[in-house]
Amino acid sequence: LEKYPLDLSMASQLNYGEKLGKAALYKRILNCPWHSWQKLSANFRLYKQEVDFLEFEPTTPFDLIYFDAFAPSIQPELWSIELLRKCYKTLQEGGIFVTYSAKGQLRRDLKQIGLPRLFFFCFAVAINVFFKTIFNIIFCFYIFPVLFF
């Protein structure tokens, strides 16, 4: 989901694909059309939607939520317990919620909405293990708060 997507010509100037050795894949991701599912591999589908996360109404469950909002001190509205609950309810059973924020309040909120302890572990493991396989694909992309597959 992206409220303000970068213009394709500007995003194409970024060198993330080359830096990661994934130039062709990065170009495919950039050129995926908005508002439709795109299969990028046998196990990876991408849906890009130009929408404000505050107004987003999910219609299907997702396997992964990569929550990449700015810090709670910068965008507190995106870190409300109501929006975190919406993320949690959108996840498939066994789905993964990943964010780089490790704020104590976030951990307490996630615990309150019922995310299992395993999800708290994702904060530390995400960069070391999980992202070794898909981080190269999604981190260096311009989707603003959430990426689903």
Side-chain angles (χ1 to χ4, degrees), residues 9-144:
S9 64
M10 183 182 292
S12 296
Q13 294 176 35
L14 301 173
N15 66 346
Y16 295 135
E18 288 84 18
K19 288 279 188 188
L20 297 169
K22 304 278 185 185
L25 179 58
Y26 182 71
K27 184 175 180 178
R28 277 188 63 206
I29 291 171
L30 287 179
N31 288 303
C32 281
W34 291 83
H35 307 284
S36 70
W37 284 103
Q38 301 297 310
K39 189 172 186 175
L40 296 177
S41 73
N43 297 314
F44 190 92
R45 293 184 310 139
L46 176 69
Y47 187 88
K48 299 187 325 187
Q49 187 171 349
E50 188 174 348
V51 64
D52 185 332
F53 183 58
L54 298 172
E55 298 170 8
F56 175 66
E57 291 300 328
T59 58
T60 184
F62 295 97
D63 298 308
L64 169 71
I65 296 177
Y66 176 71
F67 197 78
D68 188 30
F70 286 109
S73 60
I74 305 297
Q75 290 184 300
E77 70 280 6
L78 292 178
W79 296 91
S80 72
I81 197 160
E82 294 80 18
L83 286 179
L84 293 171
R85 186 174 284 117
K86 181 173 30 175
C87 288
Y88 178 58
K89 288 181 178 180
T90 302
L91 282 173
Q92 293 269 21
E93 185 174 333
I96 299 170
F97 176 86
V98 178
T99 185
Y100 54 83
S101 178
K103 290 282 190 184
Q105 185 60 52
L106 174 63
R107 288 189 189 135
R108 289 186 292 278
D109 289 346
L110 293 175
K111 184 176 181 180
Q112 182 179 339
I113 63 174
L115 265 121
R117 185 114 179 108
L118 174 62
F119 284 89
F120 303 150
F121 186 61
C122 286
F123 296 117
V125 172
I127 291 175
N128 295 324
V129 176
F130 184 69
F131 287 154
K132 294 247 191 261
T133 57
I134 68 164
F135 188 68
N136 291 347
I137 299 169
I138 65 173
F139 177 72
C140 298
F141 192 54
Y142 56 90
I143 291 186
F144 173 49

